[in-house]
Amino acid sequence: MNRDIKGNTNVKITELSSTPPLDKQISYKLLSISYLTPSWGMLFWLNFSTEPNLFGHLIAIPSLFLMTGYSAYLIARKGG
């Protein structure tokens, strides 16, 4: 992507909006699932194996669930 003096780029819109090939999309989705399954499994196990704690059960563990889910979503979206 080259820029001229005014900062304009000479990249076509079709190049920016093109989607990756199907095999690349599938590999990113598999990577996302392989990341999500063990991390949520361990968080689920942690939720029931720790002693009752208001902060842990209502704030920390749900936050970790949301963050890992969002990370997996970003990995899957990278594939198209």
Side-chain angles (χ1 to χ4, degrees):
M1 184 166 36
N2 298 327
R3 292 178 183 253
D4 61 9
I5 294 173
K6 296 179 183 177
N8 298 324
T9 57
N10 60 356
V11 176
K12 297 178 184 176
I13 297 296
T14 55
E15 292 176 10
L16 294 174
S17 63
S18 63
T19 58
L22 185 59
D23 60 339
K24 200 120 171 117
Q25 291 178 15
I26 291 173
S27 67
Y28 279 116
K29 289 181 182 175
L30 286 175
L31 178 65
S32 173
I33 290 171
S34 67
Y35 169 73
L36 194 63
T37 303
S39 61
W40 277 22
M42 290 186 337
L43 284 170
F44 192 71
W45 169 77
L46 181 66
N47 187 42
F48 290 108
S49 67
T50 58
E51 63 183 39
N53 182 351
L54 191 62
F55 173 77
H57 289 286
L58 297 180
I59 297 171
I61 293 174
S63 298
L64 290 170
F65 271 114
L66 291 173
M67 285 188 287
T68 56
Y70 183 65
S71 298
Y73 165 74
L74 290 178
I75 293 170
R77 194 180 86 184
K78 185 176 181 180

